[in-house]
Amino acid sequence: MSTEIAQIGEQTLSPVAPRKPQAKGDATTDAARAILRAEVEHQHAKTARLRAARLAFEAQQPKEIPGSRARPLKPKTKKRAAAASAPKGTKHAATAALEP
């Protein structure tokens, strides 16, 4: 990328005899815009290349059946662990976990 910008910079920053005081500012503005344009074009090309690679990769992956994916499990907290191991019919899961 830096070589592309350097090449563009060399082309647009070639010595030009300014006619007015504003001409120097215009030359700088034109050079900056050319550099930005080159960066944007480079980014678009990179995005297109990565999109094509992603689509090719996804095309090779096996298709999933919609809705067949299991829900992720919630992490068990102490209360949930105690409630899950408590015998049915007890009023408080925490007291049931303490009893032998």
Side-chain angles (χ1 to χ4, degrees):
M1 181 177 131
S2 62
T3 57
E4 293 172 354
I5 294 173
Q7 291 170 353
I8 291 172
E10 289 173 4
Q11 293 169 359
T12 58
L13 296 178
S14 61
V16 176
R19 289 178 243 146
K20 301 178 185 176
Q22 292 177 341
K24 191 172 190 179
D26 291 341
T28 303
T29 302
D30 291 342
R33 286 185 179 157
I35 291 169
L36 291 175
R37 217 175 292 118
E39 288 177 355
V40 168
E41 289 172 4
H42 177 74
Q43 185 63 36
H44 285 301
K46 180 180 177 181
T47 301
R49 187 183 76 239
L50 291 174
R51 180 180 293 129
R54 178 181 49 85
L55 292 174
F57 176 76
E58 288 175 353
Q60 294 175 354
Q61 297 300 315
K63 301 285 183 184
E64 286 187 27
I65 299 171
S68 66
R69 191 168 41 153
R71 280 188 5 205
L73 297 176
K74 294 181 181 178
K76 288 191 175 183
T77 61
K78 289 182 181 181
K79 282 186 177 181
R80 283 195 186 166
S85 64
K88 299 207 183 235
T90 58
K91 289 185 179 180
H92 300 285
T95 57
L98 296 176
E99 296 176 3

